[in-house]
Amino acid sequence: MAEEVSELCVPVPWGEIRGKVWGPDHGRPVLCLHGWADNCGTFNTLIPLLPKECRYVAVDLAGHGRSSHRPPGAFYCAPAYVADVHRVADALGLKKFSIIGHSMGADIAGMFSALYPEMVDALVLLDAYGFLPTDSKEVSKVMRQGMDEMIQFEKKSEEKKRVYTYEKAVERLLTANPTLSKQSVCILLERGLVQVEGGFMFSRDLRVNFKNILRLSLEQSLEMQSRIQASVLVVLAEDGFDRIFSEPERFTSAILQSFQDRNHKVVTVPGDHHVHLNKPEGRGSVCVQLPANKHCQYQPAAQVITTDMFP
């Protein structure tokens, strides 16, 4: 499918949303949303393994990759990203499509699918739950932290971004993301670096590091989830999300149980948080946990998304 890849550019009020497109012009549309601090390159190794009759549109979310940074004073939060997804869909004339989202991209996909259920026919969440609840007692604290980070950032005089050699940039990203292989780091850096005098700078906006000021309680998350009309496939990595984040297990268990209660599928695959990028071929087998029973059905990992999302 490599010869069919093209560059995407969608104008937005503050600049442009960039990305990559795979597949035939009139193929079934599938929008692909990457995780926090990554870019659309995260799907480079997965998409060639998926059904070739589909048209995959992988975007660099605002502030990431080659997409424009948000204007001064603007926050990076889920509703803003959801609006961006709608902008991209409108620009491409997409009335109904599927979404594959990884990590933060999966949370954006979950919210979009809840707010615009009529637009999404299938939803794949890669090592994420679609919603990440926050304890109600912590909401005000986290919201204030995100706002304080932005205000303090704006008070600083403009800081010159650090310039790296390519080797040092690889080393920094490997250190910051231990779940990435070196090959995966190099893939992400194709869109994650900008060449400047003396070396390279990371392209992402520093503001994406600030706390997301929008927080949903478990009750709100479950209510939003109930509005999703699309078929949902949750693909969890054995050594993934749960090993990285410390959200209360009762929250994530409730989200997963709610998916299963609605006859959606939850799949566990060998690998870590970036399993879709590091090992998309899925060495070994995967355990498909069917809502109707407690036992597992095994199938080759390379067929998980193909067989469950594209029957």
Side-chain angles (χ1 to χ4, degrees):
M1 197 182 291
E3 68 276 6
E4 300 177 22
V5 179
S6 59
E7 188 74 10
L8 172 76
C9 182
V10 173
V12 290
W14 63 93
E16 58 190 24
I17 297 291
R18 300 287 297 273
K20 297 172 69 175
V21 182
W22 288 257
D25 291 344
H26 302 291
R28 173 181 175 176
V30 181
L31 194 62
C32 304
L33 307 177
H34 64 77
W36 170 78
D38 291 342
N39 55 64
C40 71
T42 196
F43 296 104
N44 279 16
T45 56
L46 174 64
I47 288 176
L49 301 177
L50 299 182
K52 292 178 171 52
E53 64 270 18
C54 296
R55 185 166 179 80
Y56 301 94
V57 179
V59 300
D60 290 332
L61 294 168
H64 297 74
R66 297 176 184 172
S67 288
S68 301
H69 297 182
R70 295 202 187 280
F75 286 90
Y76 286 91
C77 57
Y81 285 126
V82 167
D84 293 344
V85 171
H86 207 305
R87 290 182 176 105
V88 171
D90 285 349
L92 298 178
L94 303 180
K95 301 300 182 183
K96 197 153 195 169
F97 50 93
S98 303
I99 307 179
I100 301 176
H102 171 243
S103 197
M104 181 184 78
D107 295 339
I108 297 166
M111 182 172 287
F112 183 92
S113 300
L115 295 178
Y116 298 98
E118 73 282 1
M119 296 183 69
V120 184
D121 56 15
L123 176 62
V124 177
L125 308 176
L126 300 176
D127 207 38
Y129 306 93
F131 300 92
L132 191 59
T134 299
D135 192 311
S136 298
K137 296 177 181 177
E138 297 294 316
V139 168
S140 58
K141 174 184 174 182
V142 176
M143 289 180 65
R144 174 169 174 164
Q145 182 180 347
M147 292 183 183
D148 286 348
E149 288 172 341
M150 176 71 85
I151 291 169
Q152 291 304 314
F153 176 81
E154 292 170 348
K155 288 180 179 179
K156 297 178 182 178
S157 57
E158 187 173 346
E159 296 180 6
K160 194 172 183 180
K161 283 190 175 182
R162 185 174 173 182
V163 177
Y164 298 85
T165 63
Y166 183 80
E167 293 73 19
K168 286 295 183 181
V170 169
E171 183 181 323
R172 179 172 183 242
L173 197 53
L174 278 171
T175 301
N177 296 274
T179 67
L180 289 171
S181 67
K182 186 172 182 179
Q183 179 183 5
S184 296
V185 163
C186 292
I187 290 174
L188 290 176
L189 290 183
E190 290 176 12
R191 302 179 75 87
L193 290 179
V194 176
Q195 189 164 11
V196 296
E197 184 178 353
F200 298 88
M201 295 192 307
F202 284 93
S203 63
R204 67 176 177 267
D205 192 336
L206 293 176
R207 292 175 294 169
V208 305
N209 296 323
F210 300 161
K211 285 287 186 183
N212 181 356
I213 62 170
L214 176 82
R215 293 286 159 167
L216 298 179
S217 67
L218 176 59
E219 181 182 14
Q220 290 171 319
S221 296
L222 292 173
E223 167 61 23
M224 292 276 279
Q225 185 203 57
S226 72
R227 297 179 180 275
I228 296 175
Q229 297 175 7
S231 60
V232 182
L233 170 64
V234 183
V235 182
L236 300 177
E238 288 179 348
D239 299 310
F241 189 86
D242 286 337
R243 301 292 183 90
I244 303 172
F245 299 95
S246 58
E247 297 296 332
E249 185 179 347
R250 62 187 175 88
F251 287 175
T252 55
S253 296
I255 294 290
L256 290 180
Q257 187 60 54
S258 182
F259 275 130
Q260 291 180 315
D261 290 345
R262 291 182 169 83
N263 294 321
H264 298 304
K265 291 187 177 180
V266 177
V267 179
T268 301
V269 299
D272 51 35
H273 190 51
H274 283 84
V275 63
H276 66 294
L277 174 59
N278 292 332
K279 296 180 180 180
E281 70 281 4
R283 297 180 179 88
S285 298
V286 298
C287 175
V288 181
Q289 302 169 6
L290 301 178
N293 51 50
K294 298 298 183 182
H295 70 275
C296 294
Q297 291 185 347
Y298 286 91
Q299 59 185 250
Q303 298 176 8
V304 176
I305 295 178
T306 302
T307 57
D308 285 280
M309 178 178 171
F310 305 102

